[in-house]
Amino acid sequence: MLQASTLTIEGLCFRYPEGPPVLEGISLELAAGERLALLGGNGAGKSTLLLCLPAVLPYGGTLRLDGLVARKNKKAVRQKVGLVFQDPGEMLFAPSCREEVAYGPLCQGRSDDEILGEVHRWLHWAGLEEKADTPPFRLSYGERRRLCLAAVMACRPSLLALDEPAAMLDPAVVGDLVELLNLLPQTTLIATHDLRFAARVADRAAVLFGGRIVYDGDPAGLRNHEKLAEWRLR
Ligand SMILES: Nc1ncnc2c1ncn2[C@@H]1O[C@H](COP(=O)(O)OP(=O)(O)O)[C@@H](O)[C@H]1O
Ligand SMILES: [Mg+2]
């Protein structure tokens, strides 16, 4: 069974060493199964916020997953968070697609039967069954992005964090991706700068600008928003 987590972010702050503040007090609450598009221009801090979720970056403020304070429960929280990087080159390393998807569940110490089940299920979901023995570097860019998603899904995260999942995909591939994402029950944060994509995959949109959330609501309400240009979304 795939689970969905609740996420509470309170006063999240972060700056890179020597750099200016990137996140300056972000508060967000996601109900179980909610899907939020995190919108913002280049450099707004979307990727940084996603990296805080598995408590990788040393942030200020408090993150809670299913009520667990992330900083104090890193192991449990990391089991729950599935982070998919924007660049598949940062994730893929195995000699075949099959091994790529098997790696996560293997690290989780799951049984051989379970691992085989996950590999079958998620390669099928990603439309990569016939490429099970193919090395990831032989895949098309869109296929590599789907393989990254499959590899993360095989770990059964209950919170998904997807960094620019539609970037550099052609329109037909984006359409397939939208269908795939809309089948998933997990609580999901999707970082994107693409308003139209956001409206297709999320029921809620939050805009990150100047280190803060400046809009939180219906993606449709953003379409003709007077501040879109200021927020670098148009
Ligand atoms: N590893 C890093 N070291 C220092 N500064 C960084 C690093 N990664 C990102 N930044 C800076 O943090 C800010 C936010 O970046 P990022 O989270 O990547 O934004 P986005 O994903 O919205 O484009 C930018 O000003 C960027 O230059
Ligand atoms: Mg980014």
Side-chain angles (χ1 to χ4, degrees), residues 144-163:
R144 271 183 280 152
R145 304 281 308 247
R146 292 208 299 280
L147 180 61
C148 291
L149 264 171
V152 165
M153 289 303 301
C155 301
R156 304 196 162 213
S158 46
L159 178 77
L160 271 178
L162 312 179
D163 202 352

Side-chain angles (χ1 to χ4, degrees), residues 92 94-97 128 131 133-144 147:
L92 302 176
S96 71
C97 294
L128 294 170
K131 309 245 167 148
D133 296 315
T134 303
F137 68 83
R138 294 253 168 82
L139 300 178
S140 73
Y141 185 73
E143 287 170 335
R144 271 183 280 152
L147 180 61

Side-chain angles (χ1 to χ4, degrees), residues 39 195 199 202-206 215-223 225:
L39 284 153
L195 270 180
D203 28 40
R204 179 176 159 201
Y215 176 97
D216 185 350
D218 185 357
L222 270 177
R223 208 172 298 137
H225 200 287

